[in-house]
Amino acid sequence: MGSNTLTITDNRTGKKYEVPIKEGTIKATDLRQIKTGEDDFGVMTYDPAFMNTAACRSAITYIDGDKGILEYRGYPIEQLAEKSTYLETAYLLVYGELPTATQLSEWQYNITHHTFINENLKGVLDAFRYNAHPMGILIAMISAMGTFYPEAKNIFDAEIRQRQIYRLVAKMITIAGFSYRHMMGMPKVYPDNDLSYPGNFLNMMFKTTELKYQPNRALERALEVLFILHADHEQNCSTSAMRVIGSSQVDPYSAVAGAAAALYGPLHGGANEQVIRMLTEIGSKQNIPAFIKKVEAGEGVKLMGFGHRVYKNYDPRAKIIKRVAYEVFEVNGTNPLLDIALELERIALEDDYFIKRKLYPNVDFYSGLIYQAMKFPMDMFPVLFAIPRVSGWLAQWQEMLEDPDQKISRPRQIYVGAKRRDFVPIERRK
Ligand code: SDX
């Protein structure tokens, strides 16, 4: 085996360059030395959508897209889904190790005792129309919440940072619950500190006239698993947004609001809502072949919930979610769209168009079916994604702040616009 370097010959000049290879990468800035002359800026990489660019070194989440492997801090997602809780997993993501019993109870205490939001924030929420999308409300409320904690700007003070992490993890379920109740025109339900994190969320969503809400154990556990599965996913679109926004050293509330905005997109966290709309539009198993033909015709119709930038195999989370779906259906009755989803998956997995492009079900393909069976309205689906993802965003943000390699994100460009020209007075413009 030769040395860990690339030898690059610039055929424009005949010059040779040795570029070190480290951790399977070369430093893009090492290419700047490749010039045709003194006034040449040097070679850059062109990588729209970062298809082949590592933006950071991270120790949080490992994905092997070909093998369908997902690990949080080295622990397989299958084991965490079976044995852990969302708050324990969130601790693991943020601090790097599974908590001791003392650490976990302190973490749970702090999260539980930060679930209340400032009463003034209810005023912000009530300003929205009843039909405002809860994801739009969530983004606004997270940003508004930051104005109540000006100390959060001291992002390099570990203790202050810690308090904001408690607040953001804790208050996501309260804001989500309150926004649902606002949509339904129902009174807001306050947190109940006796309940688990998912149980408390169900309480703030669905409590009616009973004095104390008792979550259904199977549904509470199903939501716990869904939160664990959605907690982090290395450098996905919304996490990259969190890191880029955070690199300007803004407070974490503003960065999380931006990350949530990225997650809102139909190609990202909004996909589970689109899956239900797609399955509803297909309407019956008989219509599947015609729908698949539309997808293959390349008319911009996608099989939502399929495909992934990294997974070129079955998304391991989709496998677990499929199992959880049946547990929820046992309690709440099956979802009539399930048969269409199963048949769609069966056909797609045998279809050359999907096989050739390595398109498999991703985390969003079945999650919407569960949420619908749990009586969550479709608008809430991306909110259900954002709630647990906030711990991943915060873990990645904190890692970025502590990474000596990181500085403010500011990519380069290839300028393809007009050459220099003089201003034209309006009377002479065509
Ligand atoms: C999430 O990054 C993450 O980790 C995200 C996430 C997380 O946890 O944070 O895992 C969560 O966002 C999951 C993805 C949810 N989105 C969807 O289900 C929307 C449908 N999927 C696609 O839009 C797409 O697969 C993406 C956006 C997920 C990935 O897109 P890529 O990697 O940019 O791939 P591509 O669009 O370049 O597709 C390659 C080819 C293209 O065909 P050709 O141009 O080669 O002919 O595959 C086709 C695409 O048209 N293709 C699809 C398809 N996804 C890709 N064709 C039909 N249906 C699809 N779903």
Side-chain angles (χ1 to χ4, degrees), residues 51 63 232-233 235-238 263 266-269 271 275 295 301-312 315 317 353-354 357 359 362-364 385 389:
M51 301 286 281
I63 300 175
D232 192 58
H233 212 238
Q235 305 312 313
N236 57 84
C237 179
S238 53
L263 188 71
L267 294 187
H268 190 14
V275 168
V295 171
V301 174
K302 288 192 182 294
L303 176 45
M304 299 311 275
F306 258 66
H308 199 276
R309 174 64 55 77
V310 178
Y311 289 125
K312 300 309 170 192
D315 183 333
R317 300 168 296 177
Y353 173 93
F354 297 91
R357 292 168 176 80
L359 302 175
N362 60 48
V363 67
D364 291 297
F385 197 144
R389 187 53 60 93

Side-chain angles (χ1 to χ4, degrees), residues 253-273:
Y253 297 90
S254 306
V256 167
L263 188 71
Y264 193 2
L267 294 187
H268 190 14
N272 51 15
E273 184 182 337

Side-chain angles (χ1 to χ4, degrees), residues 155-399:
I155 58 174
F156 293 108
D157 178 320
E159 204 186 311
I160 292 180
R161 203 165 63 222
Q162 176 62 63
R163 246 192 325 277
Q164 315 320 313
I165 290 175
Y166 291 151
R167 287 173 172 145
L168 276 158
V169 172
K171 298 176 195 304
M172 287 295 277
I173 52 174
T174 311
I175 295 173
F178 277 22
S179 58
Y180 172 72
R181 304 291 283 204
H182 176 75
M183 276 164 67
M184 304 305 285
M186 290 174 76
K188 310 231 178 3
V189 173
Y190 283 85
D192 175 344
N193 290 344
D194 298 337
L195 297 174
S196 71
Y197 189 83
N200 206 354
F201 175 55
L202 290 171
N203 160 56
M204 291 188 274
M205 285 287 296
F206 299 122
K207 182 175 181 294
T208 50
T209 54
E210 65 273 45
L211 286 178
K212 191 168 179 62
Y213 180 82
Q214 296 296 349
N216 172 291
R217 288 277 165 252
L219 300 184
E220 184 181 17
R221 181 62 202 161
L223 200 52
E224 187 98 74
V225 173
L226 285 159
F227 281 176
I228 289 169
L229 296 176
H230 285 83
D232 192 58
H233 212 238
E234 57 133 284
Q235 305 312 313
N236 57 84
C237 179
S238 53
T239 298
S240 303
M242 181 78 189
R243 282 175 168 263
V244 168
I245 297 167
S247 74
S248 73
Q249 297 185 1
V250 74
D251 69 272
Y253 297 90
S254 306
V256 167
L263 188 71
Y264 193 2
L267 294 187
H268 190 14
N272 51 15
E273 184 182 337
Q274 298 304 323
V275 168
I276 298 297
R277 295 187 195 285
M278 172 188 74
L279 295 174
T280 309
E281 186 202 323
I282 291 172
S284 74
K285 289 198 279 191
Q286 291 68 28
N287 298 336
I288 292 176
F291 178 77
I292 294 274
K293 277 201 175 29
K294 265 198 319 192
V295 171
E296 293 173 351
E299 296 156 8
V301 174
K302 288 192 182 294
L303 176 45
M304 299 311 275
F306 258 66
H308 199 276
R309 174 64 55 77
V310 178
Y311 289 125
K312 300 309 170 192
N313 198 326
Y314 216 102
D315 183 333
R317 300 168 296 177
K319 277 187 197 150
I320 299 166
I321 287 180
K322 209 169 160 182
R323 193 193 69 238
V324 169
Y326 287 105
E327 289 159 16
V328 169
F329 297 153
E330 250 168 59
V331 174
N332 278 12
T334 185
N335 186 322
L337 297 174
L338 175 67
D339 291 343
I340 302 176
L342 290 169
E343 179 63 4
L344 189 54
E345 176 188 344
R346 186 191 66 76
I347 294 176
L349 292 181
E350 291 169 357
D351 183 291
D352 191 45
Y353 173 93
F354 297 91
I355 295 168
K356 210 166 65 179
R357 292 168 176 80
K358 297 186 178 179
L359 302 175
Y360 292 87
N362 60 48
V363 67
D364 291 297
F365 191 63
Y366 286 104
S367 58
L369 292 171
I370 299 179
Y371 293 145
Q372 207 171 36
M374 291 178 79
K375 313 278 184 269
F376 289 109
M378 256 189 297
D379 285 355
M380 286 297 287
F381 290 6
V383 173
L384 287 157
F385 197 144
I387 290 170
R389 187 53 60 93
V390 83
S391 50
W393 291 333
L394 289 166
Q396 300 271 351
W397 166 72
Q398 186 156 253
E399 184 179 65

